[in-house]
Structures are given as C-alpha cells and as structure tokens.
Amino acid sequence: MKKYFALLLTVFFLGCSSGSEKPGPQPVDEGQDRSVMLKSLAERIIVPSYDQFKTKFDDMNAKSKAFTAKPDAQTLAAFRAAWADAYIAWQHVELFDFGPGEKHTIRNFFNIYPTNVAGITANYSDPASNLEVPASYATQGFPALDYLINGLGADDTAILAQYTSDRDAARRLAYVTRIITRMESLLGKVTGEWKGDYMNTFTTKTGLDIGSSTSLMVNGLVLHYERYIRSGKFGIPSGAMANGIPSPDKVEAFYAKNISKNLAQSAHKAYVDFFNGKHAVTGEAGTGLKTYLDALGAKDSSNGKLLSESINAQFTVATGKLDALKSNLYDEVKTNNQAMKDTYNEMQKAVRMLKVDMTSAMSITITYTDNDGD
C-alpha cells in the first residue's frame, strides 16, 4: 500500500512539473500587426497628402476667383498655373479611393476624362442642372476646368473672348465657380472624415474580411494602379486595350497636353511611395505594405526573393519607361505610340504582382471586377 501511495505522489509531481514547463503565448512579429501599419499609413501619408493637396487646391480656388472677377491674360495665366499645380497634387490623393474617398466618390467628380464638352455646355446653360448624378461625372472636376481654361479657343485671345464678349460669358464664369465650389465641398467632407471618426474606424478594423480596413484599402489600391494608372493613362490612349486602335484624345489633360506626362509620373510615384510607406512630407520610409509583406515572409515564387523586392524592381522598370516619354502624351501617342504601349506592358507586369501575388500573401480577396483578363 505504501508503495502504491508513493507511486501516486510521483505521478502527481511529475504532472505538475510538466504543466509548469508549457510555453506561454508566442511573441507576435510586430511587423504583422495591421493596426500599426494602418495607423502609420493614415497618419504619415494619407492625411498629410490631403493637407498638401488642399493647400494647392485653395490656391487654385483663389486664382479662379481672381479670374472670374476680372478675366484677362494675367488672371488666366495665374489660374492655369494654379490648376496645373493642384492637378498634380491631386495625383497624390486619388489613390485613396477607400473609406471617405469611396463614400463620396470624389474621384468620379474630380477626374473623369475625357471631359464631356456637350455636357459642360448644357450645364452652364442650365444653372439648375444636377451635378450629383453619374451622368455629370465627366462635366466637372479637373478635366472640365482643363477645357474651360485651355480648350475654348485656338489661343488666349479667343479663350478670353468667351469670358468677356461672348453672349454666354457670364454663364461660363458662373460654371467655373460652380465646379470649384462643388470640389471644395467634396474635399472638405473627405478630409473632415479622415481627421474625425473615420481615423479610429480605419485603424481599429484590423481583420482581413472584405469589410476590414486592410481589405478595402488593398482592393482600392490595386484597382487604382490597374484601372486608373495603367489603363487610364496608357492602355486606353495608346490603344493597347482597344484592339490596337490609339485614342490620343483620351489622354489626361487633353487640352493643356504639356502636363500629361507630369500627371502620370506624379501618380506613379505617389503609388510607389505609398507601397513603401514613405512619409508624405519628409519622404522617410516607415511601416506600410512593404514592411507588412516582409513580416509575412512573402516570397516571389519565380526567384525566391522577397516579394516586395520584386514588386519594387518592377515599379522601377515601369518608372524608367514612363520617364523616357515626352512631356506631351498626346504627341507621344501620335508619333511614338510604341513607347506608350511599352509603358503599359511594364505596368501590366506590376498589376499581376499586386493583384495576384500580393493579395494572396496577405490573404486578401479581390472584390472588384475587371474585364481585361488579369
């Protein structure tokens, strides 16, 4: 009996000893903490980018008021310069088409091109026309302003006549004001929500379901690169997405023309910087999609390198093709269209990496549809 009791005690102490040696919670790689990534992207890139854009927009607004008060060569030139600066700054926030940007469909009201000239004419002829419906997208925003300050005549004298001596001069001036006032209102709503309650929503919805911040953001970003940089700026104008039939009239900033490449470069750089978590003001690298992919250990299956390295390498190739283009993409389509197609093709390679490899590594489901076979 004593031997049996001793055996029970031995088993009991061995069990206690074994339990005390069980490992506790395993440490989590901080790079995989999506709340850290989301907070960094929102505070270091998204909000500062909107602030920078608003500064440029406010200057355009002021110059537009000077022009509508006194349309002459000097005020027109100042308005154009401020418009170009604001349009370039817009490229740094257009990619944020998730959260408040998506809610208020700000992209659709700010940058749908080619602009609808007939619709613009109808709108300034009818001050009560509805600018809040999808049919009005192409009659407002930066492309509409492009037509109104660059495309109303063959030269500045002819354009200014449309605002001074033409019978519809007052209506055109009123429409310029109407467009910019509407843009100002939409921008205020989007930035107000980012600086308000949505910031907390964005940084705390850390799951990977289709309604999570990471899923909404990644879907919005991949869509932006695919449809609005690769396709909109290169694939459609060059004809690479239209059975080889070029459409130079569909380039961005069609009437100004000389800033079309600059717009594309700004959009592409903003995208690459966001991917790498670069601060919108200082350019300092921080937590972002790259660091998150690295923390997940995501590899490029074709070469075994870090996936982020392969994506950045492809971005560099695409940037090289883009930088080699002439400043006027309309002329480039007309005279050197293969270079436009080559740029599209290199961006297409990046699309595959972003849309397939990156989302797979992040366990993100693509929720939008596209018809070009990606």
Side-chain angles (χ1 to χ4, degrees):
M1 192 70 171
K2 288 181 180 181
K3 290 181 180 180
Y4 178 71
F5 182 69
L7 180 60
L8 285 176
L9 286 175
T10 300
V11 171
F12 173 77
F13 284 118
L14 285 173
C16 289
S17 175
S18 175
S20 65
E21 293 175 359
K22 288 181 179 179
Q26 295 299 303
V28 176
D29 186 334
E30 291 184 2
Q32 297 182 29
D33 187 342
R34 286 184 291 277
S35 65
V36 173
M37 174 185 70
L38 295 169
K39 183 178 176 64
S40 176
L41 292 173
E43 293 182 350
R44 299 174 69 258
I45 306 179
I46 297 174
V47 171
S49 294
Y50 273 120
D51 286 342
Q52 290 180 316
F53 171 58
K54 188 177 186 305
T55 297
K56 297 295 186 181
F57 179 87
D58 288 346
D59 183 54
M60 180 184 74
N61 193 0
K63 297 300 193 299
S64 74
K65 289 177 180 177
F67 171 73
T68 55
K70 185 186 177 184
D72 59 25
Q74 183 176 354
T75 57
L76 176 60
F79 184 13
R80 280 175 174 162
W83 165 83
D85 287 345
Y87 205 174
I88 290 167
W90 162 253
Q91 307 295 323
H92 291 261
V93 298
E94 186 174 353
L95 65 159
F96 308 140
D97 196 42
F98 46 87
E102 182 182 25
K103 173 184 174 182
H104 296 288
T105 58
I106 189 170
R107 172 198 278 134
N108 292 347
F109 291 110
F110 272 52
N111 198 30
I112 294 299
Y113 57 92
T115 198
N116 182 344
V117 172
I120 291 172
T121 303
N123 282 343
Y124 68 64
S125 298
D126 177 15
S129 58
N130 190 348
L131 296 186
E132 298 183 5
V133 295
S136 73
Y137 289 160
T139 66
Q140 53 192 299
F142 287 108
L145 291 173
D146 180 25
Y147 168 69
L148 289 167
I149 62 178
N150 297 306
L152 275 175
D155 54 31
D156 287 2
T157 300
I159 291 172
L160 285 169
Q162 298 293 313
Y163 290 105
T164 53
S165 58
D166 187 81
R167 66 178 184 177
D168 287 325
R171 290 181 175 181
R172 290 190 185 92
L173 289 169
Y175 192 60
V176 169
T177 298
R178 189 181 176 198
I179 289 174
I180 293 180
T181 299
R182 175 156 172 74
M183 293 173 76
E184 182 179 30
S185 174
L186 285 168
L187 179 60
K189 291 176 181 178
V190 172
T191 57
E193 290 180 20
W194 267 110
K195 293 181 178 182
D197 293 341
Y198 187 73
M199 174 67 79
N200 182 64
T201 299
F202 182 72
T203 56
T204 57
K205 292 182 70 175
T206 59
L208 289 174
D209 57 282
I210 61 173
S212 68
S213 296
T214 302
S215 177
L216 293 173
M217 177 182 68
V218 170
N219 268 276
L221 290 169
V222 175
L223 172 65
H224 179 72
Y225 194 91
E226 178 179 22
R227 188 176 296 172
Y228 296 96
I229 297 180
R230 180 209 64 166
S231 300
K233 299 181 193 300
F234 298 98
I236 293 172
S238 70
M241 299 185 65
N243 297 318
I245 303 172
S247 300
D249 58 313
K250 293 182 180 179
V251 299
E252 197 170 18
F254 168 70
Y255 297 97
K257 291 185 176 64
N258 62 341
I259 68 166
S260 50
K261 174 185 172 181
N262 199 339
L263 294 173
Q265 286 176 309
S266 298
H268 198 261
K269 183 179 186 303
Y271 197 96
V272 174
D273 286 351
F274 188 84
F275 175 81
N276 287 294
K278 288 188 176 181
H279 195 288
V281 178
T282 67
E284 180 184 4
T287 304
L289 297 176
K290 177 187 182 300
T291 54
Y292 181 54
L293 281 172
D294 291 349
L296 292 175
K299 297 293 181 67
D300 183 340
S301 60
S302 66
N303 56 29
K305 294 181 179 179
L306 287 173
L307 179 58
S308 66
E309 291 182 5
S310 293
I311 292 174
N312 271 319
Q314 190 55 43
F315 282 154
T316 298
V317 174
T319 298
K321 293 293 185 181
L322 201 172
D323 289 348
L325 298 171
K326 298 172 185 175
S327 61
N328 184 332
L329 297 186
Y330 174 85
D331 283 348
E332 199 74 317
V333 173
K334 299 279 283 186
T335 63
N336 190 27
N337 196 34
Q338 187 57 49
M340 290 284 286
K341 291 182 177 180
D342 290 345
T343 305
Y344 165 85
N345 288 334
E346 294 303 335
M347 289 183 174
Q348 170 62 9
K349 295 174 185 177
V351 167
R352 293 193 187 100
M353 292 180 177
L354 296 168
K355 192 173 183 179
V356 179
D357 300 336
M358 182 178 77
T359 58
S360 177
M362 291 182 173
S363 300
I364 296 293
T365 300
I366 288 292
T367 57
Y368 70 88
T369 58
D370 217 300
N371 298 321
D372 59 4
D374 294 325

